[in-house]
Amino acid sequence: MSKTASFWLVAGLTAVIAAPAAAQDADREKARALIAQVMGGQTPVGQPAGAAAAQTQEGPTVELTSEQAVARALDKNLTLASQRITPETWDLAIAATLANYKPNLTSAFSNQSAVQLNTNLFAGGNRVTQDTQNWSAGLAQNVWKGGGNYTVNFTNQRAASDATNSTVNPSYQSGLRAQYVQPLLKNFKIDPNRALVQSNRISQDISEIALKSTTASTVAQVRNAYWELVYARQAVDAALASLDLASKLVADNRSRVEIGTMAPIDVVQAQADEATRRQTLVNAQATLRNDELALKRLIVSGTDDELWRATIVPTDLPTAAPQAVDLEAAVQVALQNRTDIATTRKNLESTDVQLRTLVNQTLPQLDFIGTYTLNGRGGTGLLRDPSNPLIIADTIPGGYIDALHGIGTIDAPTWNALLQFALPIGISAPKANVARQRLLRRQTEADLKAAELTVATDVTTAALAIRNSLEAMQAATAARELSQKRLEAAQSKFEVGMSNNFEVLQAQRDLADARNRELRETLNYQRALVDFERSQISPR
């Protein structure tokens, strides 16, 4: 092998090895950038804080209401953006099927020259040349109503011959032919093409219903994620307050130890409780970051969205006021608007279309075919000598206009009416298909009734959840208020020496737990309101 060949071989191998490595490096950098965006300025696992700070910067702070979050989701949510395309695809499918009912224009032109070697005295000569030009135009269209079709053809011909027996040379022929075919039994009310159009339209409606369902579910997810974020921020505030109480108790105990009124072990107990509260705060902050990320995923259009790098501050506060619930009206609304019921009804319509199509296939074929034709002729007439046909005595001028004039004056009309009947022998298979489709229709009707029962159950369950969560929230609020009073009493007794350190610590723990329960029950009440609204539009 020459040195030049060796050089190019080594260079090629290096390029082959380096290409995947370069692609891996690019993917690794992209992954790092996405992780940095997701972390929002936090240090990724396994990476020093300095490196993370060098790669990411703290984004801006954006205040957001619940309705603003929903509006952003409706505008930017990627799942909704993807599902909005599905109905548009059905538009194209319907247009493709309807193209069968568009007019179809046709045209043709031909030029032919034929030489005939004759053995007949009356053929016009031993060697006859015939030159023929044909040109035509046509229009054909399937008709939606009635399932018929029509064709209109306009034909023309010019023929020139050197035959000695020709009387018109060159000659012109023009014709106008119209035909209409109308089925009277089979394919009259419905045929496969019309059935496909109707089925596609129903499928498009179902995709619209699915989009409505996804929209309602997304709105519910956004509202729940928003309230989860509100709860997470309040949980961080509660953890901070609890930590402040624990830190204050540690400081107070140290002061008492210094003046000799308390044993050092009480400081250790307070410090242990302070460490526990600090861990609770860390966990609450981690939950806050995760909940913020969950909300962002629903309301941004991608990692390049400005809100993706921002810190979201929810401004709405959860309501604690009882909400009036009209269960009967809600069930009626749900029976009209629930997407699963609407989908089942559309499936029932699709089943009816298929049933009509199958019944149509069991009918005999009976078609009416009507045809009407007009003909015209023109050209140069040749008057030959009777005693010697080879001699042309005179000519009569004429041309293509004469042929067209013959069509216009209806000199040579032809019409034809035909009834065409066909009955296949042995149609047990189509009848069996009809019977099966009727069973499927009964099954779909049963599914519709089951869906209605499910809707009523879902709405009622959601209404009961509102009442139960409201009662639980009110009980949690009362428990938190009592825990607050108990802590105040324990601290007062502790300050005058009538209580010990353990009772204060226990009261602080109880207050922290009561605050968390109150926050959680308040969130559950908000989620119950959201689920009640969603249950009237779409299933879970």
Side-chain angles (χ1 to χ4, degrees):
M1 183 181 296
S2 64
K3 293 183 178 181
T4 302
S6 301
F7 170 78
W8 286 111
L9 178 60
V10 173
L13 291 175
T14 302
V16 170
I17 296 173
Q24 292 177 0
D25 290 341
D27 292 341
R28 189 178 296 109
E29 290 300 326
K30 183 177 181 180
R32 287 176 179 172
L34 290 175
I35 291 173
Q37 293 175 355
V38 170
M39 295 299 292
Q42 300 295 323
T43 303
V45 177
Q47 192 173 23
Q55 292 182 5
T56 62
Q57 295 179 357
E58 193 70 24
T61 299
V62 176
E63 294 184 349
L64 204 64
T65 66
S66 175
E67 294 304 321
Q68 288 173 341
V70 170
R72 285 189 61 93
L74 295 177
D75 182 44
K76 297 180 178 296
N77 184 270
L78 296 178
T79 301
L80 291 179
S82 174
Q83 194 152 356
R84 288 191 183 102
I85 298 176
T86 303
E88 297 179 10
T89 63
W90 284 112
D91 283 335
L92 297 176
I94 293 172
T97 309
L98 288 176
N100 292 318
Y101 297 93
K102 299 295 182 180
N104 186 25
L105 295 174
T106 61
S107 63
F109 176 81
S110 66
N111 188 0
Q112 176 182 331
S113 179
V115 177
Q116 296 179 352
L117 302 177
N118 301 314
T119 59
N120 191 317
L121 176 63
F122 303 100
N126 293 330
R127 190 176 189 274
V128 176
T129 301
Q130 180 84 17
D131 293 329
T132 306
Q133 290 86 36
N134 292 284
W135 63 97
S136 63
L139 174 67
Q141 185 178 10
N142 295 320
V143 180
W144 176 272
K145 189 174 182 179
N149 65 83
Y150 69 86
T151 57
V152 178
N153 291 311
F154 176 53
T155 59
N156 299 273
Q157 183 184 81
R158 179 187 184 278
S161 173
D162 59 358
T164 58
N165 59 355
S166 61
T167 58
V168 179
N169 190 30
S171 65
Y172 294 91
Q173 298 283 343
S174 291
L176 185 63
R177 183 177 185 273
Q179 177 177 285
Y180 193 91
V181 179
Q182 176 61 58
L184 301 178
L185 292 177
K186 186 177 181 180
N187 297 332
F188 176 69
K189 293 183 178 180
I190 195 169
D191 57 54
N193 280 334
R194 285 180 285 176
L196 182 58
V197 172
Q198 295 177 26
S199 298
N200 286 344
R201 285 173 174 165
I202 293 174
S203 297
Q204 185 181 42
D205 292 340
I206 292 176
S207 67
E208 294 280 2
I209 294 170
L211 175 60
K212 180 181 178 182
S213 177
T214 303
T215 301
S217 299
T218 301
V219 169
Q221 291 175 14
V222 170
R223 294 190 188 278
N224 287 331
Y226 184 89
W227 294 122
E228 285 284 355
L229 181 58
V230 171
Y231 164 78
R233 294 184 69 87
Q234 292 180 344
V236 169
D237 294 339
L240 281 171
S242 179
L243 178 59
D244 290 341
L245 288 175
S247 300
K248 184 177 182 301
L249 183 60
V250 170
D252 292 343
N253 288 355
R254 282 176 178 169
S255 298
R256 290 183 174 87
V257 169
E258 291 176 358
I259 63 176
T261 60
M262 180 176 286
I265 188 62
D266 292 329
V267 176
V268 175
Q269 290 178 347
Q271 287 175 334
D273 191 70
E274 180 187 27
T276 300
R277 306 293 172 82
R278 195 178 301 279
Q279 180 62 43
T280 302
L281 175 61
V282 171
N283 293 336
Q285 290 172 337
T287 301
L288 173 62
R289 289 192 292 269
N290 291 332
D291 290 344
E292 183 180 10
L293 184 63
L295 178 59
K296 285 181 179 180
R297 185 185 66 83
L298 294 170
I299 63 176
V300 300
S301 59
T303 56
D304 55 346
D305 194 306
E306 58 183 8
L307 191 62
W308 181 253
R309 297 291 300 274
T311 299
I312 297 178
V313 178
T315 58
D316 289 346
L317 295 177
T319 177
Q323 299 290 323
V325 175
D326 188 344
L327 180 58
E328 183 177 353
V331 171
Q332 291 178 355
V333 170
L335 291 176
Q336 294 176 356
N337 298 334
R338 269 281 288 254
T339 55
D340 49 348
I341 289 184
T343 300
T344 305
R345 288 171 180 160
K346 287 298 178 180
N347 288 333
L348 187 60
E349 292 182 18
S350 179
T351 302
D352 288 338
V353 171
Q354 297 176 22
L355 180 59
R356 292 198 302 270
T357 305
L358 292 174
V359 170
N360 173 74
Q361 297 301 314
T362 64
L363 299 175
Q365 187 84 32
L366 179 61
D367 295 340
F368 169 78
I369 304 175
T371 307
Y372 189 79
T373 305
L374 296 174
N375 294 306
R377 185 186 65 181
T380 302
L382 303 179
L383 298 179
R384 297 183 179 274
D385 189 344
S387 61
N388 187 359
L390 297 178
I391 299 175
I392 299 175
D394 196 4
T395 61
I396 302 175
Y400 177 62
I401 300 300
D402 297 327
L404 296 179
H405 184 266
I407 294 178
T409 55
I410 315 179
D411 290 338
T414 302
W415 63 269
N416 182 42
L418 171 68
L419 281 177
Q420 185 171 281
F421 181 79
L423 177 64
I425 300 176
I427 57 173
S428 57
K431 289 184 177 180
N433 291 333
V434 170
R436 178 178 179 275
Q437 194 64 26
R438 284 175 175 157
L439 289 176
L440 292 177
R441 192 185 190 284
R442 290 171 53 189
Q443 185 181 40
T444 306
E445 290 177 342
D447 292 340
L448 179 58
K449 292 182 179 180
E452 292 174 347
L453 180 60
T454 300
V455 167
T457 303
D458 289 348
V459 176
T460 304
T461 302
L464 292 175
I466 291 178
R467 187 183 67 180
N468 297 336
S469 59
L470 176 62
E471 294 174 353
M473 181 184 67
Q474 292 172 343
T477 300
R480 191 264 306 160
E481 293 174 351
L482 292 174
S483 296
Q484 180 71 41
K485 293 179 180 179
R486 181 189 172 198
L487 175 60
E488 293 173 356
Q491 287 176 336
S492 298
K493 292 170 62 179
F494 180 71
E495 290 175 356
V496 298
M498 297 179 63
S499 177
N500 56 37
N501 186 62
F502 176 77
E503 292 181 359
V504 175
L505 290 175
Q506 187 61 45
Q508 288 183 353
R509 295 191 192 101
D510 292 344
L511 177 59
D513 293 340
R515 283 174 174 169
N516 288 332
R517 282 195 298 272
E518 182 184 21
L519 291 175
R520 175 50 62 181
E521 295 302 336
T522 303
L523 173 64
N524 290 339
Y525 181 58
Q526 300 301 321
R527 294 177 67 94
L529 293 175
V530 172
D531 288 341
F532 180 69
E533 182 180 354
R534 177 210 46 79
S535 67
Q536 300 174 53
I537 302 176
S538 71
R540 289 185 179 273

